[in-house]
Amino acid sequence: METRIKALREDRDLTQKQISQYLNISQVAYSYYEINKRSIPLEILSKLADFYNTSTDYLLFRTNEIKPYK
């Protein structure tokens, strides 16, 4: 199953390396999040939601509404 973080990254033509640098983690660690090999820590999940201007619920498939909560 494709993750939303991968879809959002690809939609913006960003590389895993660019996102991992933003998150201050290794590219390998980030790739594990994208392929569901490792759970995303809450701090990283929150940073990704902020970066993509969405909610953590969207990233976790709890909603299909991409816009963040007001």
Side-chain angles (χ1 to χ4, degrees):
M1 179 174 96
E2 184 172 285
T3 58
R4 287 202 164 143
I5 62 170
K6 181 178 181 180
L8 288 167
R9 178 182 59 77
E10 290 177 342
D11 286 348
R12 288 162 178 78
D13 294 322
L14 298 168
T15 65
Q16 287 183 347
K17 183 75 173 166
Q18 290 171 307
I19 299 299
S20 65
Q21 287 173 337
Y22 169 76
L23 297 171
N24 199 29
I25 60 174
S26 73
Q27 182 271 324
V28 172
Y30 180 77
S31 72
Y32 286 172
Y33 301 149
E34 280 198 359
I35 62 173
N36 283 321
K37 190 170 183 178
R38 186 179 291 168
S39 297
I40 304 174
L42 292 176
E43 180 181 336
I44 299 292
L45 188 68
S46 180
K47 285 182 179 181
L48 288 168
D50 290 344
F51 181 81
Y52 291 120
N53 194 32
T54 191
S55 67
T56 55
D57 281 349
Y58 178 77
L59 297 178
L60 296 171
F61 290 91
R62 295 177 55 94
T63 183
N64 289 323
E65 181 64 41
I66 195 167
K67 294 182 180 181
Y69 302 117
K70 295 190 181 246

